[in-house]
Amino acid sequence: MNANAISGSASIAAVPSAYSIVGQRDFDGDGDADLLWRDQSGNLYMWFMSGLAMASSASLGNIANAWTVMGTGDMNGDGKGDLLWQDTAGDVAIWLMNGSQVASTAGLGAVAPASGWTIAWATAGEILWRNTSSGALALWQVNGSTVQSIGIGAVPGNWLVRGIGDFNGDDVADILWQDSNSGTVAIWFLDGSGNVQSSANVGVVPASSTWSIVDSGDYNGDGMSDILWTDASGDYAIWFMNGGAISSSASLGNIGTGWAVQTLNAE
């Protein structure tokens, strides 16, 4: 993509339905996002991408299905994506990656499912937790195996986390919200310490319109995350953001309902 223009497209491969994309990140530090795959048996693979072509692939072995990949952000600041795991008992662990090689591993602790705390989103160096009972939020700032936990307030359950991205260009991740009742879209702007420094209501898109947020990412190269939308018919559109304001919007056309943007553990 180049803003709302498709600069190029290609068919990469056909993959059996037993395999799913569970992460998208630059794992080898070459500046191109790569693909992390997992099959139904727990086998893990990486495709190292070069633009529209798969340059190489690698197997990472088999991981018991009790463990789920919860994020692929860079957790030690080396410019390469890492793997954040959680198992069904609540144990949280991280694989610090160097391409397809696991450079080191670390346990980050255990958060029992019975506590009500679940991972709402994960990005580079940060894990956002939400308590499903109280609505409380906590941010784990992660540097390798070191974790600092910060409480950042509470929100009612009708407010859903729709993404984490840098919407104001200050190199700090912000939280994208949507009210499932009214359709109101809002952003919490965080500072480097994980505190909410300000917030903004961006707009209202009622659920009755069938439009929903697909992902966030910088689509026009201005250093600020934008918001990607789709509707029930397969139409796509982008809101180009400048902080909490929509600077412009654009339609990307219709791709149909048989195709879906792969957004798991990606921005």
Side-chain angles (χ1 to χ4, degrees):
M1 302 300 296
N2 182 10
N4 63 322
I6 301 170
S7 58
S9 64
S11 175
I12 300 171
V15 179
S17 58
Y19 294 81
S20 299
I21 295 173
V22 295
Q24 300 165 72
R25 200 69 57 167
D26 181 6
F27 292 107
D28 57 1
D30 66 353
D32 293 333
D34 307 306
L35 301 181
L36 180 68
W37 293 86
R38 196 178 191 190
D39 71 11
Q40 293 173 350
S41 300
N43 297 306
L44 204 63
Y45 303 90
M46 277 185 184
W47 283 8
F48 295 101
M49 304 301 298
S50 177
L52 298 172
M54 180 178 63
S56 63
S57 62
S59 170
L60 278 67
N62 181 279
I63 309 300
N65 283 324
W67 287 89
T68 299
V69 177
M70 303 300 293
T72 56
D74 177 11
M75 293 295 179
N76 61 350
D78 67 352
K80 300 174 185 177
D82 304 306
L83 305 190
L84 175 68
W85 296 90
Q86 188 175 31
D87 71 4
T88 51
D91 299 298
V92 181
I94 193 167
W95 286 7
L96 299 175
M97 304 300 297
N98 181 14
S100 62
Q101 302 300 309
V102 182
S104 63
T105 65
L108 301 184
V111 181
S115 69
W117 287 94
T118 61
I119 295 175
W121 214 275
T123 188
E126 294 182 328
I127 305 170
L128 178 65
W129 292 85
R130 188 174 192 181
N131 190 292
T132 54
S133 299
S134 67
L137 295 161
L139 190 68
W140 280 13
Q141 293 186 324
V142 182
N143 185 4
S145 60
T146 302
V147 175
Q148 180 180 2
S149 181
I150 304 162
I152 54 173
V155 293
N158 53 292
W159 282 94
L160 307 177
V161 177
R162 294 302 197 190
I164 289 184
D166 181 8
F167 290 95
N168 58 355
D170 63 354
D171 294 324
V172 177
D174 308 306
I175 304 175
L176 177 64
W177 296 92
Q178 188 172 26
D179 184 340
S180 59
N181 293 334
S182 68
T184 300
V185 179
I187 298 173
W188 279 10
F189 297 102
L190 305 184
D191 62 21
S193 299
N195 302 304
V196 181
Q197 58 180 346
S198 64
S199 62
N201 285 348
V202 178
V204 179
V205 180
S208 59
S209 71
T210 79
W211 284 92
S212 60
I213 295 172
V214 181
D215 203 7
S216 62
D218 182 7
Y219 291 99
N220 59 355
D222 66 353
M224 293 182 279
S225 292
D226 308 304
I227 303 173
L228 178 66
W229 293 83
T230 190
D231 70 4
S233 302
D235 298 304
Y236 283 82
I238 295 179
W239 284 3
F240 295 105
M241 302 301 297
N242 182 5
I246 304 168
S247 59
S248 64
S249 62
S251 171
L252 302 182
N254 183 286
I255 194 65
T257 56
W259 290 88
V261 177
Q262 300 298 289
T263 61
L264 186 62
N265 296 320
E267 185 204 327

